[in-house]
Amino acid sequence: MNGKHMFRILLLCLTAAVLFCACNPAPEQENSESSEETSEESSAPVSEETGEETSEESSEPPREAAYMEYEIPENFNDAYTDVFEISDLKQMRILYNENVGSYSFYYDYPEGGTYMTQLVRKRWGMYMLGAIQHRNASGVQANIIGASTDFEWVLRCGPTQGTSGTFRGGNHGDYTLSDWNAEDTTKTNDHFIDMTFYDASTGEKVEPQSGVEMTVNGLRVVMHDNIYDGEYNQANVMINVERIYLFNGEDVFLQSKLYMTRNTYFQMSYSCMMPIMKQYGNWTKFYNEDGTEKLVQTPLTGTSNYGNNFSNGNNATKVEMWGEQYPAYHMTMQIYNPEDMFYRSTDYVKLWDMNPSSNKLYFSSFALGTAKLVRKGTEWDFRSSWSFSYEPDFVCPTEPDEKLGF
């Protein structure tokens, strides 16, 4: 073989090698071009205007979209005692009604009368806080709150900026009109996984049976669900959720742990809410972070106003509500870790004079219309409470700091 042929063969080999390298980039080049499905590991929300930046893949292995059975940690009781300063656990009665999908929890007052709270099933299978009722020793009953709308947080979010305005979770878990079917996996936004009950004093698992009353000393409920986008499958799951409720006498405490399974964009969301009938809640006192207080009054009978009838910008982590028609009944709402609950919207806590019969309180986060990116692997911890007190000698004030809806 002469030199000319050798040269041609060598040239062909070099050309083939160059083409091979061009069609098969190095692994680090492939990873640097993908940013939508990878993110930096983070312990707090990371807000960005756009999600096009490159981020490193988290070293933490991906979590499954469904949870295994919840195991009680060793510090089961201590954790809640520290966070919520619970001095004693109250005896609670549980009554489960399978036909309507409700768990009713009763606290019996030593002097007579009862206080009742609920977890109720929505049509897509998720359980949420429901009605609140008080019955005094004489048998007079006050239906303070009906089982209609959200107490717990609700998120306005999506996997893209264009879907970030969609409400997900809570009362917005499903927009369909059909009845819930446990075998239906096409529902949107919120997928219930499981719910387990525990005696809070012993940590022992209890299993309420429909129509059979049972008693515990404080009730702890652990619930798992997923927030997702589109048909329910692992690829569409955005957030793993674990809710831990404590029902104790006139108090309900909730700690929610949320884990981002993918990059998610957020707009104006709410980390705690309070829907209340106006006769029991047309007065609101905001306990502001600077030590001041603000009193807001709405009419006892309002008008349907789904526009901008709000009292915004109340920088409070504790709010109390009562009604001038029945001023003895008081509800107090509180959030305990505002920084972790990204309590940073300029709206802060807002009161909505919503319709003729009810008002609604919102602890706000993020801003409306501006999508913020929260990275895959981010974990959130929401802590809030709803407490009742009966104050028969309370005298309602006559001069508010703000009149809303008059």
Side-chain angles (χ1 to χ4, degrees):
M1 183 180 293
N2 58 33
K4 180 184 284 188
H5 289 103
M6 289 291 295
F7 177 78
R8 287 178 177 174
I9 292 171
L10 180 60
L11 183 60
L12 289 170
C13 291
L14 288 172
T15 303
V18 170
L19 289 172
F20 179 83
C21 292
C23 295
N24 297 273
E28 58 269 26
Q29 290 176 308
E30 290 184 12
N31 291 340
S32 67
E33 293 171 2
S34 175
S35 63
E36 188 63 30
E37 298 301 325
T38 61
S39 66
E40 298 178 61
E41 189 172 356
S42 174
S43 59
V46 178
S47 298
E48 313 238 30
E49 294 296 334
T50 176
E52 299 304 319
E53 308 88 67
T54 300
S55 59
E56 298 178 1
E57 183 68 48
S58 170
S59 59
E60 181 181 350
R63 294 192 185 185
E64 294 297 323
Y67 291 90
M68 303 300 290
E69 183 175 357
Y70 179 72
E71 297 292 335
I72 301 176
E74 292 183 0
N75 64 344
F76 175 71
N77 290 310
D78 294 341
Y80 266 92
T81 302
D82 292 340
V83 172
F84 297 116
E85 300 181 358
I86 299 170
S87 57
D88 63 320
L89 293 169
K90 310 289 188 182
Q91 188 177 84
M92 305 289 293
R93 293 185 289 117
I94 308 171
L95 189 59
Y96 173 42
N97 186 328
E98 185 176 16
N99 291 331
V100 299
S102 67
Y103 293 87
S104 299
F105 314 122
Y106 297 90
Y107 170 61
D108 296 318
Y109 294 105
E111 66 276 12
T114 59
Y115 178 70
M116 186 208 75
T117 53
Q118 288 184 319
L119 283 172
V120 295
R121 189 182 67 210
K122 308 301 287 188
R123 64 178 177 269
W124 58 98
M126 190 63 207
Y127 285 84
M128 297 167 50
L129 290 172
I132 292 180
Q133 297 176 353
H134 178 272
R135 184 186 297 270
N136 66 18
S138 302
V140 177
Q141 180 167 302
N143 298 314
I144 301 169
I145 296 168
S148 58
T149 187
D150 308 81
F151 293 78
E152 303 95 330
W153 47 265
V154 62
L155 306 175
R156 185 180 281 165
C157 64
T160 64
Q161 289 182 325
T163 59
S164 62
T166 303
F167 278 117
R168 304 182 196 273
N171 205 47
H172 301 273
D174 178 22
Y175 292 98
T176 67
L177 298 178
S178 59
D179 291 335
W180 173 68
N181 181 342
E183 304 303 320
D184 187 353
T185 60
T186 63
K187 301 297 184 184
T188 57
N189 298 341
D190 198 356
H191 184 81
F192 174 76
I193 298 174
D194 60 33
M195 182 166 61
T196 311
F197 296 82
Y198 300 94
D199 185 306
S201 63
T202 64
E204 179 182 354
K205 184 187 294 186
V206 295
E207 297 182 0
Q209 303 297 316
S210 185
V212 179
E213 187 176 276
M214 65 185 310
T215 303
V216 293
N217 289 318
L219 175 66
R220 214 174 298 265
V221 181
V222 180
M223 190 185 311
H224 295 118
D225 64 292
N226 286 326
I227 305 296
Y228 61 104
D229 178 63
E231 184 175 350
Y232 182 73
N233 57 51
Q234 179 146 341
N236 290 333
V237 174
M238 295 187 294
I239 308 171
N240 289 162
V241 180
E242 178 179 77
R243 309 169 195 242
I244 307 175
Y245 297 86
L246 175 61
F247 295 87
N248 191 49
E250 298 168 306
D251 302 320
V252 179
F253 300 96
L254 172 63
Q255 181 175 14
S256 295
K257 301 175 183 179
L258 296 87
Y259 177 86
M260 305 296 153
T261 63
R262 62 187 297 178
N263 287 353
T264 304
Y265 292 87
F266 286 82
Q267 289 191 37
M268 174 70 77
S269 300
Y270 308 110
S271 54
C272 179
M273 289 164 284
M274 181 61 182
I276 193 166
M277 304 302 292
K278 287 190 175 183
Q279 62 265 42
Y280 303 107
N282 76 309
W283 279 79
T284 303
K285 178 185 284 189
F286 296 93
Y287 295 87
N288 296 314
E289 288 291 88
D290 62 2
T292 62
E293 298 176 358
K294 179 183 176 182
L295 276 172
V296 179
Q297 181 190 20
T298 71
L300 271 174
T301 302
T303 59
S304 293
N305 187 333
Y306 295 97
N308 59 356
N309 198 17
F310 297 106
S311 173
N312 290 328
N314 301 289
N315 192 357
T317 56
K318 178 182 175 182
V319 180
E320 185 178 3
M321 303 181 80
W322 66 88
E324 62 191 71
Q325 186 172 350
Y326 303 106
Y329 302 93
H330 288 238
M331 294 296 306
T332 301
M333 289 62 62
Q334 190 166 355
I335 60 174
Y336 294 85
N337 53 340
E339 293 304 320
D340 291 341
M341 298 172 80
F342 27 89
Y343 175 67
R344 59 188 180 199
S345 163
T346 54
D347 282 352
Y348 290 104
V349 187
K350 63 179 181 180
L351 176 66
W352 187 12
D353 179 17
M354 189 169 63
N355 59 39
S357 61
S358 61
N359 289 335
K360 194 168 184 183
L361 187 78
Y362 298 85
F363 288 78
S364 305
S365 59
F366 295 105
L368 183 63
T370 304
K372 297 292 185 180
L373 173 64
V374 176
R375 296 287 189 181
K376 173 185 175 182
T378 299
E379 295 190 35
W380 288 340
D381 181 8
F382 294 174
R383 299 175 188 174
S384 37
S385 66
W386 299 262
S387 300
F388 172 80
S389 60
Y390 183 65
E391 305 176 23
D393 297 326
F394 180 80
V395 177
C396 188
T398 56
E399 291 299 325
D401 298 308
E402 178 184 355
K403 283 192 171 186
L404 182 66
F406 284 89

